[in-house]
Amino acid sequence: MPSLVDSIDDSRIASSLMLRYLFILAVCGFSLSVRADDSIEALQAQLASASPPEKPPILLNLARVTQFNDPLQSMTYAEQAQQLAEQAEDNLNAAEALVMLGRLKTQKGNFAEALLPYQHALELWTAQENQPRIAKTLLALGNVYWRMGDYDKALSKCLDALKLAEHLQDDSLIASSLHQLGIINDLLGNYTVALEHHHRALAIRQKLNDQAGIADSLNNIGIIHYFSGQYKEALENYVESLKIRRAIHDEQGIAKSLNNVGLTYKGLEQYDEALRYFESALKMRERLSDKYEVANISNNIAALYILKKNFDQAVVYLIRGLQQAVEADSKDLIRENYELFSQLYAAQNNFEAALAYYRLSTEVKDSILNEKSQQAIADVQTKYETEKKEQEITLLKKDNEIQQLAIVKQTLLRNSLMGGLLFIFILVFVLFNRYRFEKKANQKLEEANNLIRQEKEKSDQLLLNILPVRVANDLKETGKTEPESFEEVTVYFSDVVGFTNLSSQLEPKFLIDELNDIFTAFDNIVEHHQCERVKTIGDAYLCVCGMPTPNPHHAHNMVRSAIEIIHYMQERNKRSEIQWRIRIGIHSGKVVGGVVGVKKYIYDVFGDTINTASRMESNSEPMRINISQTTYDLVKDQFPIQARGALAVKGKGEMSMYFVET
């Protein structure tokens, strides 16, 4: 499925499929409304004169009115409400405060942290036998699980909520449950089922005259059409949703719809119309002081200007987007902003600046990797550094022994000069000992030299493990290497399906052992076909063919490697207790490569070809090889290939894609 950002991450912390819903707010069944007269000043005045038992509901209202404009302050209000309610044994407001905390953590993207307050709230609602609130909290948990990519648990929670809503004969709750089930099935690629759920929810909301709900359902139906490449149908639903939201003065909804309409016009390549809607959405978000969405829409406008080759305007919006993303503490938007900067400078052939921003995006992407995987990888790195330091200490000890032996040798030589009657005896004694110690010293020296030679070979091999041979030789001979541009390169990109969920269930050591075994096999396969592994990031694997040594068969070699990798994974899964499945994307084109860093060398690649290969992977399916039109043209007569047609890709419009039969 199309993604709103590139996927070498991270991390991936959430599935790229889920990012299609970044520009909507999933309905979880809890009301966000506050009475019009409940201004912040009025609520703060009430709070100042209230007794401790009266404060929790006032603090909750303060949390609601500051949720979007000042989420950190909203979090503080919700935490205070929870503490006071628990002290007063007020389980009703304690549960409401926990729900608010869960919503705020979800809004910030801290999905794993959101689970605990929601689960605690569910326990309190269950103890109170408050079935409507139980159903709504189940929906909230389902919302978090699908954002984490755990679709099985998300479906389970939402189906439980639907059963309870049907038992209660609560049409509003039934519609909300169908709404969530539609989103999850959409993310799973079950578009027919997703549309059925959304249309059922729409019918119920029309019966209830729930205008806000009708607008949400129309918006979600539009999303499915948008990501299916049916832009005209998407536009009809988005525009209808926008009309309703304007009629009910839903400013948050209006801003979302304006952004959605802008994205659709961009897909239709009607860039001027897209820009008009984006700018309207941006003005509303600025008026609402929503820093996250200001950054998101600024990035969208910048991407549009890059397509229009209006680079000066693109820079203006990228700077604005970066400032707002930093203030909103949104690492994902910061990473997307840096990637857009890299694309902009690459389009202007300023590869030095493009590389600098690509490095920045990689640093941010690395920082949002799964914490357990990071720790496991850090442990491996620590072990390597420790062993390396121990070897250095061993070498120092050997050197010290040699120096001590040299001192002994000098002492013996000095004593050999003693005269007198003892000269002959001492001379013989000294010569004997000299011979014995020299032999021992030579043995020690030879051992030390062998150890140094072995360690040098290990160091050279380590360098070859992280750098291509030609680049490694340049560094050893001259101490530097210059970035190069290669015109004919094929890029392979893959990641593990459901890795975030698997990594949270497995022990770190077992996880690292599994990845090491898989990636070692990948290395052997691609090396056999004259391809070069560039790097791995968590569960992602990136390799190239045609650089740094040109290869006229780069596309054929890479596709052959991908087929063997699929065969290897199929055979491995037959005997493994963990069933690992991967998605593969391949694209051919121009790539820039060079060494990043001065202390820890990393050979890295960047350019639009890398981004396109990533998008081929995110649009692939489990255990399938998805290739672009460019790669297809190079290998169409060499492999059995299935055409997929044109699919929508963010920032690139529609692209023809093909599955290589394995």
Side-chain angles (χ1 to χ4, degrees):
M1 300 303 302
S3 168
L4 297 182
V5 295
D6 297 332
S7 50
I8 297 178
D9 176 35
D10 64 236
S11 109
R12 307 167 197 249
I13 295 176
S15 169
S16 62
L17 294 173
M18 184 175 62
L19 291 172
R20 63 161 62 190
Y21 283 94
L22 272 174
F23 45 81
I24 67 165
L25 176 64
V27 176
C28 302
F30 292 99
S31 171
L32 299 181
S33 63
V34 181
R35 295 193 310 274
D37 59 345
D38 280 344
S39 66
I40 295 177
E41 293 79 6
L43 288 169
Q44 288 174 337
Q46 293 177 30
L47 184 66
S49 60
S51 63
E54 295 172 335
K55 288 183 176 182
I58 301 172
L59 287 165
L60 280 170
N61 278 338
L62 280 166
R64 293 184 183 110
V65 298
T66 57
Q67 176 181 352
F68 296 105
N69 295 342
D70 193 350
L72 290 177
Q73 184 60 54
S74 178
M75 185 83 71
T76 300
Y77 286 136
E79 289 171 345
Q80 291 174 351
Q82 180 199 356
Q83 292 171 1
L84 289 172
E86 288 179 347
Q87 290 172 6
E89 298 183 354
D90 179 0
N91 288 338
L92 176 63
N93 281 307
E96 291 282 11
L98 287 164
V99 167
M100 190 67 208
L101 286 170
R103 184 183 301 124
L104 288 164
K105 291 178 185 294
T106 303
Q107 176 183 317
K108 193 176 180 182
N110 297 335
F111 304 129
E113 295 180 13
L115 288 175
L116 188 61
Y118 277 140
Q119 289 167 344
H120 190 185
L122 185 61
E123 293 172 1
L124 293 178
W125 296 132
T126 303
Q128 298 171 51
E129 299 182 355
N130 190 329
Q131 292 187 332
R133 289 297 186 181
I134 291 172
K136 292 175 182 178
T137 307
L138 286 169
L139 284 179
L141 282 167
N143 176 50
V144 173
Y145 279 124
W146 72 250
R147 289 171 182 271
M148 293 176 68
D150 192 340
Y151 301 126
D152 290 339
K153 287 184 180 178
L155 282 171
S156 175
K157 297 298 181 185
C158 292
L159 286 170
D160 288 345
L162 178 59
K163 291 177 184 177
L164 188 53
E166 290 174 340
H167 173 72
L168 295 169
Q169 297 182 343
D170 187 329
D171 286 342
S172 179
L173 265 178
I174 292 171
S176 294
S177 302
L178 291 169
H179 177 103
Q180 288 279 33
L181 288 167
I183 291 175
I184 297 166
N185 278 281
D186 179 14
L187 294 172
L188 288 169
N190 303 327
Y191 303 132
T192 302
V193 177
L195 281 173
E196 179 184 342
H197 285 312
H198 284 313
H199 280 295
R200 284 181 62 193
L202 177 61
I204 293 172
R205 287 165 168 173
Q206 287 171 334
K207 176 184 173 183
L208 296 173
N209 195 27
D210 176 6
Q211 295 297 304
I214 293 170
D216 285 336
S217 292
L218 289 168
N219 189 69
N220 284 354
I221 293 169
I223 287 171
I224 295 175
H225 287 306
Y226 174 85
F227 282 95
S228 300
Q230 300 168 341
Y231 296 129
K232 291 183 180 179
E233 292 83 351
L235 193 59
E236 290 174 3
N237 285 278
Y238 284 153
V239 170
E240 188 62 28
S241 176
L242 177 58
K243 288 179 182 178
I244 295 172
R245 285 169 167 170
R246 279 175 168 161
I248 62 177
H249 306 292
D250 176 8
E251 290 194 332
Q252 293 283 347
I254 292 169
K256 295 186 188 85
S257 292
L258 289 169
N259 188 48
N260 292 354
V261 173
L263 288 168
T264 307
Y265 274 121
K266 181 183 175 186
L268 290 167
E269 297 184 359
Q270 296 182 28
Y271 296 147
D272 290 338
E273 279 296 294
L275 187 59
R276 185 166 67 88
Y277 278 93
F278 280 148
E279 288 177 342
S280 296
L282 183 61
K283 289 177 182 177
M284 289 201 69
R285 289 301 185 185
E286 288 175 336
R287 187 167 66 251
L288 293 169
S289 300
D290 189 338
K291 296 176 181 178
Y292 178 92
E293 285 298 335
V294 169
N296 182 37
I297 297 169
S298 295
N299 283 355
N300 287 343
I301 295 174
L304 192 60
Y305 275 123
I306 292 173
L307 287 175
K308 295 180 70 172
K309 300 190 182 303
N310 188 340
F311 301 126
D312 291 340
Q313 280 295 90
V315 169
V316 170
Y317 282 96
L318 283 174
I319 292 172
R320 180 189 300 186
L322 180 59
Q323 179 183 357
Q324 294 297 309
V326 170
E327 292 181 8
D329 192 27
S330 173
K331 291 182 179 179
D332 193 65
L333 287 178
I334 293 171
R335 177 193 55 75
E336 183 181 41
N337 186 280
Y338 287 154
E339 288 178 354
L340 287 170
F341 261 120
S342 180
Q343 292 174 23
L344 180 147
Y345 285 118
Q348 296 176 295
N349 294 322
N350 186 347
F351 296 121
E352 183 177 357
L355 177 60
Y357 276 101
Y358 181 76
R359 291 173 182 166
L360 291 173
S361 72
T362 302
E363 290 174 4
V364 177
K365 186 181 297 182
D366 291 344
S367 73
I368 56 179
L369 284 174
N370 179 277
E371 291 183 2
K372 288 187 178 180
S373 296
Q374 268 191 321
Q375 185 58 50
I377 293 168
D379 290 343
V380 172
Q381 180 69 21
T382 301
K383 181 181 178 182
Y384 165 75
E385 296 292 346
T386 301
E387 291 177 350
K388 184 177 179 181
K389 182 61 68 176
E390 289 175 350
Q391 292 169 353
E392 291 175 354
I393 293 172
T394 301
L395 287 174
L396 288 173
K397 288 181 178 179
K398 294 292 183 183
D399 183 63
N400 185 60
E401 289 179 7
I402 293 171
Q403 292 180 4
Q404 292 298 322
L405 288 171
I407 293 173
V408 171
K409 180 179 178 180
Q410 291 175 358
T411 302
L412 291 173
L413 288 172
R414 185 182 64 249
N415 292 337
S416 65
L417 299 176
M418 294 177 62
L421 295 175
L422 297 177
F423 175 80
I424 301 298
F425 174 79
I426 293 174
L427 180 61
V428 171
F429 177 81
V430 168
L431 290 173
F432 174 78
N433 281 279
R434 174 181 169 183
Y435 167 78
R436 185 182 66 181
F437 279 100
E438 281 186 348
K439 182 177 181 181
K440 183 177 179 180
N442 289 334
Q443 289 176 345
K444 294 287 186 181
L445 183 60
E446 183 63 23
E447 290 174 4
N449 288 335
N450 288 337
L451 182 59
I452 292 170
R453 189 160 46 250
Q454 292 171 6
E455 293 305 315
K456 183 179 183 299
E457 291 172 357
K458 288 182 180 179
S459 297
D460 290 344
Q461 187 59 46
L462 284 173
L463 194 60
L464 291 174
N465 285 344
I466 60 175
L467 298 176
V469 174
R470 196 174 78 182
V471 175
N473 290 336
D474 286 346
L475 286 173
K476 287 191 292 183
E477 292 172 7
T478 67
K480 64 179 181 178
T481 182
E482 298 295 332
E484 294 182 86
S485 178
F486 302 86
E487 296 295 329
E488 297 181 358
V489 178
T490 296
V491 179
Y492 164 110
F493 192 93
S494 69
D495 73 348
V496 176
V497 177
F499 179 76
T500 300
N501 186 31
L502 281 171
S503 64
S504 66
Q505 299 173 7
L506 301 176
E507 290 294 325
K509 184 180 185 304
F510 180 82
L511 175 64
I512 293 300
D513 289 341
E514 285 285 284
L515 287 178
N516 181 62
D517 184 61
I518 291 171
F519 288 161
T520 299
F522 287 11
D523 288 346
N524 292 335
I525 291 170
V526 301
E527 183 178 358
H528 176 71
H529 292 285
Q530 299 176 331
C531 302
E532 187 82 34
R533 192 272 295 272
V534 177
K535 63 180 175 180
T536 62
I537 305 175
D539 62 311
Y541 187 94
L542 175 63
C543 64
V544 297
C545 189
M547 67 179 293
T549 302
N551 189 324
H553 308 294
H554 56 93
H556 175 274
N557 290 0
M558 187 57 77
V559 173
R560 175 57 60 192
S561 297
I563 292 173
E564 290 189 16
I565 284 172
I566 292 293
H567 290 167
Y568 162 76
M569 293 300 296
Q570 291 171 339
E571 291 300 315
R572 190 182 191 279
N573 284 339
K574 291 179 182 178
R575 64 179 186 275
S576 173
E577 62 183 275
I578 303 298
Q579 299 299 297
W580 298 95
R581 299 188 303 159
I582 64 172
R583 284 186 298 263
I584 296 176
I586 296 176
H587 177 59
S588 303
K590 179 180 178 181
V591 175
V592 175
V595 171
V596 179
V598 294
K599 292 186 178 180
K600 295 185 178 180
Y601 291 120
I602 298 175
Y603 185 81
D604 214 342
V605 293
F606 69 99
D608 187 66
T609 300
I610 307 301
N611 295 332
T612 303
S614 172
R615 296 186 191 280
M616 291 299 107
E617 179 275 327
S618 64
N619 280 275
S620 186
E621 295 178 359
M623 302 301 282
R624 300 298 298 270
I625 303 168
N626 188 37
I627 65 175
S628 67
Q629 180 70 49
T630 307
T631 304
Y632 168 79
D633 292 337
L634 294 171
V635 301
K636 61 185 177 182
D637 298 326
Q638 303 169 31
F639 302 94
I641 296 175
Q642 171 191 347
R644 301 181 65 193
L647 300 180
V649 175
K650 176 177 171 60
K652 295 181 178 294
E654 292 187 345
M655 295 186 70
S656 296
M657 301 183 192
Y658 303 82
F659 279 140
V660 178
E661 299 294 342
T662 59

